[in-house]
Amino acid sequence: GAGVSQSPRYKVAKRGQDVALRCDPISGHVSLFWYQQALGQGPEFLTYFQNEAQLDKSGLPSDRFFAERPEGSVSTLKIQRTQQEDSAVYLCASSLGLRDILYYEQYFGPGTRLTVT
Amino acid sequence: KNEVEQSPQNLTAQEGEFITINCSYSVGISALHWLQQHPGGGIVSLFMLSSGKKKHGRLIATINIQEKHSSLHITASHPRDSAVYICAVLAYGGSQGNLIFGKGTKLSVKP
């Protein structure tokens, strides 16, 4: 079946531009996660949704970062007024994650590589 | 100090060698993941474990909760195993979705 997909795969933005990154989770997956991975580093948690509810946004680095999942399926990560330090790969993952999601594996998308010039 | 430490950072092996990658963590955890990341960014979940040992093909993952340590073993390594292997933990008390990742171990298997 289809896995997690992300678009675009690559995005080049000029400093100050707004960008929107899309994640299509696996159909039926309740939980959705966004991670940021800087070059040479492990991913870092940004935010997590259970259905349409954003239950944790503690990892968002600034108020320029905003994520939504209005209908509990597709999610969009928006970055306003991009800065060079925003350059990274943005990974999305989903899991079946019902009431107790501690024991559900996460399935990762291919990522969106954002380069801010 | 990072909450999740992996060693080694880089590993080069000859085809057929037995490989061990280590992960130590400093927080109480609910579960630990081993992930594989190929060039281009795609991440695949290899194992999720909270105790004991799991085996899948040539891959074996073990965890010692008391020692806060996990290992990933690859038997009869092959060049196609070349990738970055990442350990990630789901900490007690944090958000259920908040994985804490190690920096990864870059493995290169030479033919």
Side-chain angles (χ1 to χ4, degrees), chain B residues 22-38:
Chain B
N22 296 298
C23 175
S24 296
Y25 51 91
S26 58
V27 296
I29 69 167
S30 300
L32 181 144
H33 296 252
W34 279 104
L35 309 166
Q36 181 191 57
Q37 186 170 31
H38 282 283

Side-chain angles (χ1 to χ4, degrees), chain A residues 47 58 76 88 112 115:
Chain A
T47 186
S58 63
T76 303
T112 294
T115 303

Side-chain angles (χ1 to χ4, degrees), chain B residues 5-6 13 25-27 36 40 42-43 46 62 73 78 94 98-99 111:
Chain B
E5 298 272 2
Q6 288 186 235
Y25 51 91
S26 58
V27 296
Q36 181 191 57
I43 290 181
L46 299 175
T62 63
H73 306 285
H78 190 275
N98 193 337
L99 285 177

Side-chain angles (χ1 to χ4, degrees), chain A residues 33 37 43 48 56 103 105, chain B residues 37 45 48 95 97-98 101 103:
Chain A
F33 314 88
Q37 185 174 25
Y48 139 64
D56 187 345
Y103 301 102
E105 291 191 43
Chain B
Q37 186 170 31
S45 177
M48 184 177 66
S95 162
N98 193 337
F101 293 80
K103 292 187 177 182

Side-chain angles (χ1 to χ4, degrees), chain B residues 51-83:
Chain B
S51 65
K53 176 180 176 178
K54 286 190 176 180
K55 184 176 188 296
H56 181 70
R58 294 181 295 106
L59 302 177
I60 304 166
T62 63
I63 189 168
N64 185 318
I65 296 294
Q66 287 73 30
E67 294 186 3
K68 295 187 175 178
H69 181 269
S70 176
S71 293
L72 176 69
H73 306 285
I74 305 175
T75 62
S77 59
H78 190 275
R80 64 175 174 266
D81 298 327
S82 298

Side-chain angles (χ1 to χ4, degrees), chain A:
Chain A
V4 178
S5 61
Q6 292 185 245
S7 61
R9 291 293 313 278
Y10 303 91
K11 177 70 179 177
V12 179
K14 290 187 177 177
R15 190 162 57 94
Q17 276 186 332
D18 297 350
V19 298
L21 313 180
R22 178 187 167 108
C23 173
D24 284 82
I26 293 173
S27 177
H29 277 196
V30 168
S31 296
L32 184 144
F33 314 88
W34 283 100
Y35 300 97
Q36 180 190 57
Q37 185 174 25
L39 188 65
Q41 302 295 313
E44 292 191 358
F45 171 80
L46 292 177
T47 186
Y48 139 64
F49 291 84
Q50 194 161 355
N51 294 306
E52 68 279 3
Q54 189 175 20
L55 297 189
D56 187 345
K57 55 181 180 180
S58 63
L60 296 176
S62 77
D63 58 8
R64 296 186 295 104
F65 286 70
F66 172 76
E68 61 182 5
R69 193 185 185 199
E71 297 179 359
S73 55
V74 172
S75 177
T76 303
L77 176 66
K78 297 180 180 177
I79 309 173
Q80 297 177 324
R81 304 181 303 282
T82 52
Q83 304 293 316
Q84 282 191 316
E85 62 263 27
D86 300 335
S87 296
V89 174
Y90 291 86
L91 295 162
C92 174
S94 71
S95 78
L96 187 58
L98 299 176
R99 183 172 57 178
D100 179 357
I101 72 163
L102 296 180
Y103 301 102
Y104 285 101
E105 291 191 43
Q106 294 187 23
Y107 295 82
F108 286 81
T112 294
R113 182 177 296 276
L114 173 66
T115 303
V116 181
T117 61

